[in-house]
Amino acid sequence: MARNKYDVDEKLESEFNMGHVKRLMRYVIPYKKKMVITIVIMLIASVANLIGPYLIKVALDSKIPSKDVTGLIILSLIYLVTVIINGVCLNIKIKSMTDIGQSVILNIRKDLFEHLQKLPFSYYDSRPHGKILVRVVNYVNSLSDLLSNGIINLITDSFSLIVIIVFMFLIDVRLTLIGLVGLPILVGAAFTIKSLQRKAFQILSSKSSNVNAYIHESICGMKVTQSFSREKENLKIFNELSDNYRKAWMHAIKIQFLMGPFVDNIGNLVVVAVYIMGVAWIANGSITIGVLIAFIAYIGRFWGPINNIANTYNAIINNMAYLERIFETMDEEPNVKDLQDAYEMPEIKGLVEFKNVNFCYEDGQRILNDVNFKANKGESIALVGPTGAGKTTIINLISRFYDLESGEVLIDGVNVRDVLLNSLRKQMGIMLQDSFIFAGTIMDNIRYGKLDATDKEVVAAAKVVRAHEFITTLSEGYNTQVNERGSRLSAGQRQLISFARALLADPRILILDEATSSIDTETEMLLQKGLEELLKGRTSFIIAHRLSTIKNSDRIMYIDHGSIVESGSHDELMKYKGEYYDLYMSQYRMLEAI
């Protein structure tokens, strides 16, 4: 797929269907017992709340005319009890549903993050990371109120509506029929607004995603922004994206708020009609004042649940736009995954073989063309060549970060496609040019690949790769806190920590992709002995533009246009005087000039 950018709206691959709601309910089902109890409590509260108008009718039509003070006191006490019951039940409902809602949110976010860790590099290559982040945080959070209140409110308001209609019919059938006239009009309006509202909130979610993508990109590139004085231009872009979000928000809210006034206007018209007919019927003796007052109280409460249901309906439609995005991410199929009959990778010895390997990315451009080679156990293989030749692709295929177009990648004679990904990758060590450092202590970062390692083992690994010297000069040594991406450390220091991390993990196959590029020449000379220890007994693949670092490799392969052009030791290739010879001599002459 073409890379999506911060200024490109995301499009949903599939239309919304009720299956999304059913899928959401699967997250709610584990809490069904607690929800049933809460619903019962709220139904009791609803009945208690609806008894009030009927008590007023009895008081007006019976107790007051007969001057029954004792009866009025009893009615007042019953009314007070209903108010207390309603308050207590409401308090229980708020606590219970908040707990259920947040538990469901926790499980959805956990499943979403777990799935994101299974998606291949190609997924992250195809979209800004800010657009992924907004789904895990903002979109999941948007479901909170719907899950905490919406479901229960929908059930209890529906029940209240039925009970209110029953009470209304018991009081007066004619007034009830007048009160129900506006209901069909309201239902028709709701379905008309639905499609407009869903589309508006889909657009809003896209604009929100764009803003988040640009903020994430800008924060990650802030040093570059300030270095090139790009603040004004970036602010202009941000303001434009924010304005697009504001316009989308205003449009969505305008549609959302159509429902509330519509309900209120229909409710007011119905109440006016009830008043007109009620007063007329009181005049001719058809009904009593108590009946009219009680009925007006019920008709007011009738439109209350209607309004609540309309608001809940609004919330459901609004959140469906976010739910679609969440489930779209969960439904993203990893194109690199364990086969159905995949098995544990046996303990790796170190024999790596490429057989007729062809590979292209999703744009269809061929990267590797019929690559064949064999790396024996414990052999160090250096990959050199121009940028874009296919060097990094080769090492990515060894770890099966991508699947082949054709051919086979074998480790100890086992096809990497046939084994469980986790069992394959945990036996490998990969060090990249941009060594990622996580927020935490240096000790934690080195221990990242082997959580059960002792402090002594961590220190020993750091000493071997010459990281110990600079670590001990820091304020708290190995317990020094480092920021995300290791911003408090130099690029060379980050790479030394990565070397220690790789050594501690003790991988059988080691991949170094420009892993010494940020280390100065003096540090590199000190590191050579550590590297020898790191590479000892391991099959290793080294990508380096600084050819001095790979002179001692067992074999050097010159890659160009996706093919192995030359292969041999440093001395053999120098005698051959081909592409590698030209590359080495150009670097040598450059160093002499300096």
Side-chain angles (χ1 to χ4, degrees), residues 292-466:
L292 181 60
I293 291 175
F295 192 86
I296 291 298
Y298 279 120
I299 199 67
R301 298 189 184 200
F302 171 78
W303 289 104
I306 290 287
N307 205 24
N308 291 340
I309 291 172
N311 290 334
T312 302
Y313 176 80
N314 267 338
I316 291 172
I317 297 302
N318 299 349
N319 282 285
M320 286 307 104
Y322 301 123
L323 194 64
E324 287 169 327
R325 303 285 183 184
I326 293 168
F327 286 146
E328 181 192 44
T329 304
M330 286 188 180
D331 292 337
E332 187 79 32
E333 273 293 323
N335 54 25
V336 177
K337 59 184 178 180
D338 293 328
L339 300 180
Q340 196 167 13
D341 56 350
Y343 55 89
E344 285 279 335
M345 179 73 190
E347 184 177 346
I348 290 177
K349 307 298 182 186
L351 176 63
V352 178
E353 186 175 4
F354 274 50
K355 286 186 175 181
N356 306 315
V357 170
N358 292 284
F359 177 79
C360 65
Y361 291 105
E362 292 185 12
D363 59 8
Q365 182 179 355
R366 181 67 64 84
I367 303 299
L368 296 181
N369 299 291
D370 201 29
V371 172
N372 290 274
F373 71 85
K374 182 184 289 187
N376 296 314
K377 174 185 174 183
E379 191 175 14
S380 58
I381 307 293
L383 306 177
V384 300
T387 301
K391 303 184 297 296
T392 300
T393 300
I394 288 175
I395 62 174
N396 281 336
L397 294 180
I398 297 172
S399 301
R400 203 189 160 203
F401 288 128
Y402 300 93
D403 274 335
L404 310 178
E405 180 185 347
S406 62
E408 292 179 309
V409 175
L410 307 174
I411 297 179
D412 299 333
V414 177
N415 193 321
V416 295
R417 284 178 56 87
D418 296 334
V419 298
L420 297 170
L421 285 169
N422 187 52
S423 69
L424 170 69
R425 293 172 183 169
K426 72 181 180 182
Q427 298 188 65
M428 294 187 177
I430 302 175
M431 293 178 55
L432 305 176
Q433 180 177 358
D434 182 17
S435 303
F436 196 94
I437 301 297
F438 297 90
T441 66
I442 290 177
M443 182 76 73
D444 291 337
N445 270 279
I446 296 176
R447 192 184 275 127
Y448 189 82
K450 188 182 179 183
L451 298 178
D452 59 348
T454 65
D455 290 356
K456 286 184 178 180
E457 289 174 324
V458 170
V459 173
K463 285 181 177 179
V464 169
V465 300
R466 303 301 189 269

Side-chain angles (χ1 to χ4, degrees), residues 446-553:
I446 296 176
R447 192 184 275 127
Y448 189 82
K450 188 182 179 183
L451 298 178
D452 59 348
T454 65
D455 290 356
K456 286 184 178 180
E457 289 174 324
V458 170
V459 173
K463 285 181 177 179
V464 169
V465 300
R466 303 301 189 269
H468 180 75
E469 287 79 357
F470 90 81
I471 293 174
T472 53
T473 65
L474 299 176
S475 58
E476 297 181 54
Y478 284 85
N479 292 317
T480 300
Q481 292 283 337
V482 290
N483 301 330
E484 180 186 350
R485 301 187 68 87
S487 58
R488 293 179 60 186
L489 303 171
S490 70
Q493 289 172 336
R494 292 198 296 270
Q495 288 189 328
L496 289 175
I497 289 174
S498 295
F499 272 114
R501 180 193 294 165
L503 178 60
L504 186 64
D506 193 24
R508 294 298 89 204
I509 295 176
L510 183 64
I511 294 170
L512 308 179
D513 187 356
E514 288 292 342
T516 62
S517 61
S518 297
I519 297 175
D520 59 80
T521 305
E522 184 179 347
T523 305
E524 183 186 350
M525 292 174 65
L526 291 172
L527 183 61
Q528 283 301 327
K529 289 184 179 179
L531 272 175
E532 290 174 11
E533 184 66 30
L534 187 63
L535 300 179
K536 190 182 296 181
R538 297 180 174 87
T539 305
S540 57
F541 293 85
I542 307 167
I543 296 177
H545 286 101
R546 192 189 297 173
L547 300 185
S548 59
T549 62
I550 53 94
K551 280 178 61 176
N552 297 326
S553 298

Side-chain angles (χ1 to χ4, degrees), residues 63-97:
K63 303 303 179 183
I64 292 176
S66 62
K67 298 180 181 180
D68 185 356
V69 176
T70 303
L72 283 172
I73 293 173
I74 293 172
L75 288 177
S76 299
L77 290 173
I78 294 173
Y79 190 86
L80 178 62
V81 170
T82 63
V83 171
I84 293 171
I85 290 173
N86 188 54
V88 171
C89 291
L90 185 61
N91 184 54
I92 294 172
K93 175 251 183 182
I94 291 172
K95 291 180 179 178
S96 176
M97 289 313 300

